[in-house]
Amino acid sequence: MSQSIQFSTPSHTLHLPQSRFHRPLTSFSFRQFPLTSTIKYTSIRASSSPSPSPDLDSSSSSSSSASQVLLSLNGSGAVKSEERSVVATAVSTDTAAIEVDTVTEAELKENGFRSTRRTKLICTIGPATCGFEQLEALAVGGMNVARLNMCHGTRDWHRSVIRSVRRLNEEKGFAVAIMMDTEGSEIHMGDLGGEASAKSEDGEIWTFTVRAFDSSRPERTISVSYDGFAEDVRVGDELLVDGGMVRFEVIEKIGPDVKCLCTDPGLLLPRANLTFWRDGSLVRERNAMLPTISSKDWLDIDFGIAEGVDFIAVSFVKSAEVINHLKSYLAARSRGGDIGVIAKIESIDSLTNLEEIILASDGAMVARGDLGAQIPLEQVPAAQQRIVQVCRALNKPVIVASQLLESMIEYPTPTRAEVADVSEAVRQRSDALMLSGESAMGQFPDKALAVLRSVSLRIERWWREEKRYEATRTPLQAIGSTFSDKISEEICNSAAKMANNLGVDAVFVYTKDGHMASLVSRCRPDCPIFAFTTTTSVRRRLNLQWGLIPFRLSFSEDMESNLNKTFSLLKSRGMIKSGDLVIAVSDMLQSIQVMNVP
């Protein structure tokens, strides 16, 4: 018998030639069976040969097959009375059977599905926000990920912040993830002799030196982390501090000391990045040969593993090799190797090897401050858009960072240009936006976070109201490496398309490792995505990805049981109501189901 794809219903059968499909799946058959005397349940199942529609029992017995693909259309979503009683008993005996972010739960109750923010928000924690009350205020304000910059602070200080965030999650019901950002091996300034900052005025002469000072440093003297600094620079070179926030011209070299004239005044901060330019080009010299991960970074990474951070961001990544090396190290040292690696794209090398770096990593950060010190400023917007597009194509979350609301370090309102910059990042469909100095040391961290949140919500709503997603329906490139991965990818693509076309209220994703949820997120559907997972660590990591509302929920491979349980739990907490239309997908049975909440 020649193989074909067979779609059969009680009224007709349609045969399609096998050549239309890239691999013989033998047959799919529509079958109908009642959940009650009045409700019909339709499914699609992959089978090895055409066969008559089995009864309910045989269908149930085959539900554990990994190749099963289900599509149900349930008009009223009625559930058997005995099933209701079982679920109700489970809910009554375990009211905490499902965990969801407190703020998201309140938003869903008050404003419904469409009120939820899709773009995630990251806050760098510093002296202005390290207390428990300040961290709680950020979490209430929408912080999804707390970032720790290992350029600053002691490990004891970072440990106290990590434990405060964990306590906040446990006691207040949040799912804030923790990202540890390594310092990297690029050239940095020292600690300014313990001062919080130093002001450089136009025309002042400052000394940059590789010498270490046992006592207090001389006035207007800055230590440099790179031993070859005095040898590499030349008189006439331009020295940029923190991506050009302050500029100097090299006027004299005296042994290990480099005398510099301030040409653009500004605020000097401890551990700021340094670059120098010659004849309009970045000078790399031996600095380009420094290791991506320094000896201090490895100690910080061991610290992060011990403290159970969720992400490690690697600074100044030059190639995929360092990412692969770190991931192997984490897999051997961490608990189950479940720490995500974020590649910071902030150098010429990282742009040159962009695709391979992103493919090797678990996500990327557009570190625009340092990137703008290595490429012409006018090229930064195009570089940002390219990085965002590549990350989405390869199904990796992408973070847009650096100077989003820089003025709010000192002022309570942003500039209109900053708002436009944030809006563009949201329009590009970035997964997350990140505050740096605005939340770490700024005078108005809560207000800065509120601006990110309100702008994100407004642009996302405008996107939906204008149906802008229809103009961006260019097919995403296939990324599945195995046949099973390709099935999952097609299921998620179809689920997102159906969600937009049918106007569903939410997509439910049941996933153990988070991969299926990320595939749906990649499609950027018009509705929120409820991602149900069984582990707390996966739930926190999903909090970085666009549109995902992560829940922790125990579930089985029986999708009907999972849905009944989920509906009852969410309805009991007022998060959904009868009649809501949802699409459910699962990475256990590779299934799609469409139904109304009973």
Side-chain angles (χ1 to χ4, degrees):
M1 180 184 298
S2 63
Q3 291 183 328
S4 65
I5 302 300
Q6 181 188 60
F7 296 89
S8 60
T9 67
S11 59
H12 66 276
T13 299
L14 173 65
H15 290 271
L16 298 177
Q18 183 62 54
S19 60
R20 295 289 300 277
F21 297 83
H22 68 283
R23 172 174 172 173
L25 280 180
T26 63
S27 70
F28 286 86
S29 59
F30 280 92
R31 299 187 315 276
Q32 294 183 324
F33 54 86
L35 284 178
T36 67
S37 58
T38 59
I39 301 302
K40 294 294 182 73
Y41 185 101
T42 306
S43 69
I44 300 178
R45 182 179 65 85
S47 62
S48 58
S49 61
S51 60
S53 299
D55 58 18
L56 176 60
D57 291 337
S58 62
S59 174
S60 299
S61 65
S62 65
S63 64
S64 61
S65 170
S67 63
Q68 185 174 10
V69 181
L70 301 174
L71 170 61
S72 71
L73 298 172
N74 187 343
S76 62
V79 182
K80 290 182 179 180
S81 59
E82 58 268 26
E83 291 172 345
R84 278 201 201 96
S85 64
V86 171
V87 175
T89 302
V91 173
S92 64
T93 56
D94 185 8
T95 57
I98 191 168
E99 296 177 8
V100 64
D101 179 81
T102 302
V103 174
T104 302
E105 180 177 2
E107 289 179 349
L108 287 169
K109 289 179 179 178
E110 293 176 9
N111 303 313
F113 291 103
R114 301 288 167 164
S115 68
T116 59
R117 169 176 43 84
R118 314 296 198 267
T119 308
K120 301 305 178 73
L121 306 179
I122 302 173
C123 296
T124 301
I125 307 304
T129 48
C130 60
F132 185 81
E133 291 77 15
Q134 290 121 336
L135 289 170
E136 183 177 4
L138 291 178
V140 170
M143 175 178 68
N144 302 109
V145 181
R147 171 181 176 253
L148 301 176
N149 188 350
M150 301 307 289
C151 290
H152 308 284
T154 65
R155 293 193 185 102
D156 286 339
W157 182 88
H158 289 294
R159 182 181 293 109
S160 67
V161 173
I162 291 171
R163 294 182 179 178
S164 292
V165 173
R166 294 287 186 252
R167 176 187 160 201
L168 184 68
N169 289 342
E170 294 171 2
E171 295 182 2
K172 305 294 184 177
F174 296 103
V176 177
I178 296 173
M179 177 185 297
M180 190 190 79
D181 198 330
T182 63
E183 180 175 338
S185 296
E186 297 294 300
I187 305 176
H188 293 277
M189 289 173 25
D191 290 325
L192 300 180
E195 297 180 16
S197 63
K199 181 71 173 178
S200 176
E201 300 291 352
D202 189 22
E204 289 182 345
I205 305 296
W206 285 70
T207 300
F208 291 80
T209 181
V210 297
R211 290 183 293 162
F213 298 99
D214 295 330
S215 57
S216 60
R217 64 184 175 87
E219 187 179 6
R220 295 177 187 167
T221 299
I222 296 173
S223 59
V224 179
S225 63
Y226 174 42
D227 290 338
F229 177 73
E231 300 174 35
D232 281 349
V233 298
R234 299 177 186 174
V235 173
D237 286 351
E238 187 178 29
L239 181 64
L240 276 64
V241 179
D242 199 13
M245 301 306 292
V246 186
R247 291 174 183 258
F248 294 88
E249 180 185 346
V250 177
I251 59 174
E252 186 180 8
K253 292 170 58 175
I254 308 175
D257 300 338
V258 178
K259 300 289 186 179
C260 298
L261 173 70
C262 180
T263 56
D264 280 342
L267 195 65
L268 300 170
L269 301 176
R271 316 299 295 173
N273 178 252
L274 298 176
T275 55
F276 49 104
W277 290 65
R278 183 178 303 145
D279 300 327
S281 300
L282 177 70
V283 178
R284 305 175 71 204
E285 304 279 335
R286 287 176 294 174
N287 184 47
M289 305 306 295
L290 292 173
T292 299
I293 302 178
S294 67
S295 56
K296 176 184 180 297
D297 291 337
W298 284 114
L299 293 175
D300 289 338
I301 288 168
D302 286 337
F303 166 79
I305 292 172
E307 293 298 323
V309 300
D310 301 291
F311 301 98
I312 293 178
V314 184
S315 299
F316 297 100
V317 176
K318 299 180 178 71
S319 68
E321 182 180 0
V322 68
I323 298 295
N324 292 327
H325 179 46
L326 176 56
K327 293 181 78 171
S328 297
Y329 184 81
L330 293 175
R333 296 290 188 101
S334 64
R335 297 186 293 269
D338 56 355
I339 298 177
V341 176
I342 305 297
K344 296 178 67 176
I345 309 301
E346 52 190 341
S347 68
I348 294 176
D349 291 315
S350 60
L351 287 177
T352 303
N353 303 311
L354 183 63
E355 284 79 7
E356 69 173 46
I357 289 172
I358 292 176
L359 192 61
S361 68
D362 299 306
M365 181 188 299
V366 190
R368 304 181 303 176
D370 290 320
L371 184 61
Q374 298 214 2
I375 64 175
L377 290 175
E378 63 272 16
Q379 295 181 15
V380 173
Q384 172 181 315
Q385 184 166 356
R386 178 191 168 205
I387 297 167
V388 171
Q389 290 174 343
V390 171
C391 284
R392 185 179 173 194
L394 297 178
N395 193 31
K396 309 288 183 174
V398 57
I399 304 161
V400 174
S402 304
Q403 303 167 350
L404 284 172
L405 299 173
E406 188 79 4
S407 70
M408 293 193 72
I409 293 177
E410 299 183 42
Y411 300 101
T413 57
T415 67
R416 305 311 176 257
E418 287 171 336
V419 172
D421 181 36
V422 172
S423 300
E424 179 59 23
V426 177
R427 280 159 46 110
Q428 290 176 0
R429 316 300 263 173
S430 305
D431 287 85
L433 308 176
M434 190 179 91
L435 295 175
S436 299
E438 304 95 327
S439 59
M441 63 176 187
Q443 299 182 41
F444 309 98
D446 296 340
K447 289 185 177 181
L449 181 61
V451 170
L452 285 191
R453 181 178 180 178
S454 62
V455 173
S456 297
L457 282 168
R458 182 63 190 92
I459 297 302
E460 290 166 359
R461 186 168 68 250
W462 167 81
W463 186 278
R464 293 192 297 271
E465 290 172 350
E466 298 295 321
K467 297 189 181 299
R468 294 287 171 173
Y469 59 84
E470 293 182 352
T472 59
R473 282 181 175 174
T474 55
L476 294 168
Q477 68 181 63
I479 57 174
S481 57
T482 67
F483 187 59
S484 178
D485 288 342
K486 292 176 181 177
I487 292 176
S488 296
E489 188 177 335
E490 291 298 330
I491 286 173
C492 292
N493 292 345
S494 299
K497 183 177 180 180
M498 292 170 65
N500 290 340
N501 292 341
L502 299 177
V504 304
D505 295 297
V507 175
F508 285 13
V509 186
Y510 295 85
T511 176
K512 290 188 176 180
D513 59 7
H515 179 63
M516 199 85 162
S518 72
L519 288 174
V520 179
S521 171
R522 176 193 186 217
C523 298
R524 304 296 195 259
D526 197 29
C527 63
I529 307 162
F530 286 23
F532 302 96
T533 186
T534 56
T535 59
T536 301
S537 59
V538 173
R539 178 189 170 211
R540 288 197 303 265
R541 289 202 305 276
L542 291 177
N543 219 2
L544 178 63
Q545 299 191 28
W546 187 96
L548 297 184
I549 302 175
F551 295 76
R552 194 186 69 81
L553 174 71
S554 297
F555 52 78
S556 66
E557 293 189 357
D558 183 346
M559 278 299 294
E560 185 178 347
S561 173
N562 293 336
L563 288 167
N564 289 333
K565 177 180 180 180
T566 305
F567 290 155
S568 294
L569 289 170
L570 294 182
K571 286 177 67 177
S572 68
R573 296 174 68 154
M575 299 174 67
I576 61 174
K577 62 183 184 300
S578 297
D580 287 337
L581 183 63
V582 301
I583 292 177
V585 300
S586 167
D587 62 9
M588 297 168 295
L589 302 180
Q590 294 183 312
S591 64
I592 302 181
Q593 297 174 312
V594 182
M595 66 205 69
N596 291 99
V597 176

